[in-house]
């Protein structure tokens, strides 16, 4: 684990017509943030200086040509492109989508090459970023291809963690996508990330049902009876603390989630609606299961308020802090598990 070096935190700038650049620059306009990490923004100094003036910010942007040249105590910027970019806040623009991808691609490459330690992604517009190089429903699937491991969208706060069996899948396809193999894979990923990234020794996990009332014993769909319950029983029989399926409509309202280290929802809105209701503005989207640490705020580009100086930075700031915390916890876990293996390998 790094003892003296500052954690290098890479930032992809997202869609420049949205609020991404605003929340990034406002976060690091507070110089105290530089005590926790060395930020490296993958974008363009000229554009960021324009945006800095737009919001009357005082931070100094330090241009560098490689992450290895990053200066601690400075907000560093790598110029991913040199040409001028026309920004029209609040508008969908495929050209702006190209620059969002350039930023993401460069930051991901640096993450893969260990030139940065953590990646925090500002929001993209999922329509305008589409191209021959980016044919994904979002960051998670792109990073799953680029990085090693089994990716899982994991929405986190200090008191609530929600993972998804399926993320960007059409509702009509949910039941056919959820299989025993998928359930076991996703649960294994959450168990491992709770151990390595959140210091939970014996994770206790709740699983939400696929159908209303978890199928009512087969009256409302048979997927819970035939797929979820047998798989959960199999894992319980192996000693894993996996419980459910729970009826999703009452699970959060009764605060049952407080009895578990994490909750697994069957599909996107089943998990994210209650998560964002309970924690909006403080939640973080963490891509669990990858060999690198990536976090992001729990909101999108917010075109409706872009350029109006109204964006709330709290979720992005939390994404920065959570990225740092997860990186440190993972490095600590590596040391602890390596020491255990060394002890087991000794001859007595």
């Amino acid at each position: 684990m790094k003892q003296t070096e500052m954690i290098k935190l890479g930032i992809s700038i997202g869609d420049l017509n949205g609020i991404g650049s605003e929340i990034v620059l406002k976060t690091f306009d507070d110089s105290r943030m530089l005590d926790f990490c060395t930020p490296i923004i993958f974008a363009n100094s000229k554009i960021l200086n324009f945006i800095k003036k737009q919001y009357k910010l005082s931070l100094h942007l330090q241009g560098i040509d490689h992450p290895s040249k990053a200066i601690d105590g400075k907000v560093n910027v790598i110029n991913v492109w040199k040409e001028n970019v026309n920004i029209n806040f609040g508008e969908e623009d495929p050209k702006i989508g190209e620059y969002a991808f350039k930023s993401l691609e460069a930051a991901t490459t640096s993450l893969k090459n260990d030139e940065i330690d953590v990646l925090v992604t500002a929001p993209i517009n999922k329509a305008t970023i589409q191209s021959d190089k980016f044919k994904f429903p979002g960051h998670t699937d792109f990073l799953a291809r680029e990085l090693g491991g089994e990716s899982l969208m994991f929405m986190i706060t200090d008191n609530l963690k929600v993972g998804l069996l399926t993320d960007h899948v059409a509702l009509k396809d949910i039941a056919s996508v959820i299989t025993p193999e998928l359930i076991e894979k996703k649960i294994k990923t959450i168990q491992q990330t709770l151990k390595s990234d959140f210091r939970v020794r014996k994770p206790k996990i709740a699983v939400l049902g696929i159908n209303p009332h978890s199928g009512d014993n087969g009256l409302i769909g048979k997927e819970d009876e035939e797929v979820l319950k047998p798989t959960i029983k199999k894992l319980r029989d192996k000693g894993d603390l996996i419980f459910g399926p729970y009826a999703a409509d009452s699970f959060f309202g009764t605060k049952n989630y407080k009895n578990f280290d994490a909750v697994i929802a069957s599909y996107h809105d089943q998990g994210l609606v209650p998560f964002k209701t309970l924690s909006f503005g403080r939640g973080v989207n963490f891509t669990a299961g990858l060999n690198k640490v990536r976090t992001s705020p729990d909101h999108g580009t917010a075109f409706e308020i872009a350029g109006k100086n109204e964006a709330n930075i709290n979720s992005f700031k939390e994404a920065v802090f959570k990225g740092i915390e997860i990186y440190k916890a993972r490095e600590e876990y590596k040391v602890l598990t390596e020491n255990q293996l060394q002890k087991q390998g000794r001859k007595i």
Side-chain angles (χ1 to χ4, degrees):
M1 190 190 316
K2 292 188 174 187
Q3 299 295 332
T4 56
E5 292 182 38
M6 290 286 284
I7 289 174
K8 289 183 177 179
L9 186 127
I11 300 165
S12 60
I13 202 60
D15 192 295
L16 290 163
N17 283 351
I19 65 169
S21 55
E22 177 183 351
I23 59 177
V24 170
L25 295 183
K26 283 184 175 179
T27 294
F28 291 102
D29 195 47
D30 182 349
S31 61
R32 293 173 298 179
M33 293 296 295
L34 303 178
D35 293 335
F36 300 98
C37 65
T38 299
I40 304 171
I41 306 173
F42 291 78
N44 175 274
S45 296
K46 187 174 181 180
I47 289 295
L48 294 185
N49 275 308
F50 164 78
I51 293 169
K52 182 183 83 169
K53 291 178 183 177
Q54 172 85 10
Y55 299 113
K56 299 178 181 179
L57 304 176
S58 60
L59 76 166
H60 172 71
L61 300 174
Q62 178 71 40
I64 58 174
D65 57 14
H66 191 271
S68 62
K69 304 291 180 62
I71 300 173
D72 295 341
K74 302 286 186 182
V75 180
N76 301 272
V77 180
I78 291 181
N79 287 316
V80 180
W81 65 87
K82 295 181 180 179
E83 64 272 19
N84 290 327
V85 177
N86 292 322
I87 295 178
N88 294 294
F89 290 116
E91 293 186 11
E92 290 194 3
D93 184 347
K95 191 66 179 178
I96 293 296
E98 291 178 18
Y99 291 107
F101 177 71
K102 286 181 179 181
S103 173
L104 176 62
E105 183 180 43
T108 303
T109 298
S110 285
L111 187 66
K112 289 165 64 175
N113 294 337
D114 295 322
E115 295 164 355
I116 58 176
D117 302 307
V118 175
L119 172 61
V120 181
T121 58
I124 58 173
N125 180 288
K126 294 171 184 176
T128 61
I129 197 173
Q130 298 298 319
S131 68
D132 290 338
K133 291 185 177 181
F134 191 98
K135 296 180 179 179
F136 303 95
H139 282 109
T140 301
D141 301 274
F142 171 75
L143 292 168
R145 186 192 72 178
E146 295 296 312
L147 303 171
E150 294 286 349
S151 69
L152 177 135
M153 184 184 291
F154 204 35
M155 307 299 292
I156 60 173
T157 65
D158 288 336
N159 302 314
L160 176 60
K161 295 175 176 63
V162 177
L164 303 178
L165 287 180
T166 62
D167 41 49
H168 297 119
V169 176
L171 195 58
K172 64 182 178 63
D173 299 324
I174 297 296
S176 62
V177 170
I178 296 177
T179 62
E181 293 76 21
L182 177 72
I183 297 165
E184 290 192 48
K185 182 175 75 171
K186 296 294 185 180
I187 287 176
K188 182 179 178 182
T189 298
I190 289 183
Q191 286 176 317
Q192 183 57 44
T193 199
L194 287 170
K195 292 177 183 177
S196 63
D197 301 339
F198 297 96
R199 300 184 175 96
V200 180
R201 295 185 65 184
K202 186 70 173 177
K204 184 180 179 184
I205 299 171
V207 182
L208 302 184
I210 299 171
N211 296 297
H213 309 297
S214 298
D216 265 346
N217 297 314
L219 292 175
I220 313 173
K222 300 187 181 299
E223 291 82 7
D224 294 275
E225 292 294 320
E226 296 178 356
V227 181
L228 269 186
K229 288 183 180 179
T231 307
I232 291 170
K233 182 180 184 303
K234 176 183 174 182
L235 295 170
R236 285 283 301 280
D237 290 344
K238 289 167 52 180
D240 293 333
L241 300 181
I242 313 299
F243 300 87
Y246 292 97
D249 62 347
S250 59
F251 184 83
F252 292 93
T254 58
K255 296 182 171 52
N256 197 9
Y257 67 90
K258 293 185 176 182
N259 297 315
F260 300 91
D261 298 302
V263 180
I264 301 181
S266 291
Y267 54 92
H268 186 278
D269 284 13
Q270 186 191 61
L272 268 62
V273 168
F275 178 86
K276 292 188 177 184
T277 300
L278 292 168
S279 63
F280 195 76
R282 296 176 290 109
V284 172
N285 181 357
F286 166 48
T287 307
L290 298 179
N291 61 355
K292 303 291 183 182
V293 178
R294 174 261 174 169
T295 61
S296 73
D298 66 355
H299 57 73
T301 54
F303 281 155
E304 66 277 7
I305 61 169
K308 297 180 181 179
N309 203 21
E310 297 176 3
N312 188 319
I313 68 170
N314 289 343
S315 183
F316 184 83
K317 185 181 286 188
E318 279 298 307
V320 170
F321 284 135
K322 289 300 181 197
I324 294 168
E325 290 172 14
I326 292 167
Y327 176 82
K328 289 180 176 179
R330 189 176 291 189
E331 291 296 296
E332 178 184 290
Y333 181 80
K334 288 177 186 176
V335 172
L336 292 173
T337 52
E338 285 170 2
N339 288 341
Q340 288 176 355
L341 290 171
Q342 289 171 0
K343 288 178 181 179
Q344 291 172 4
R346 289 176 185 166
K347 291 182 179 180
I348 299 176

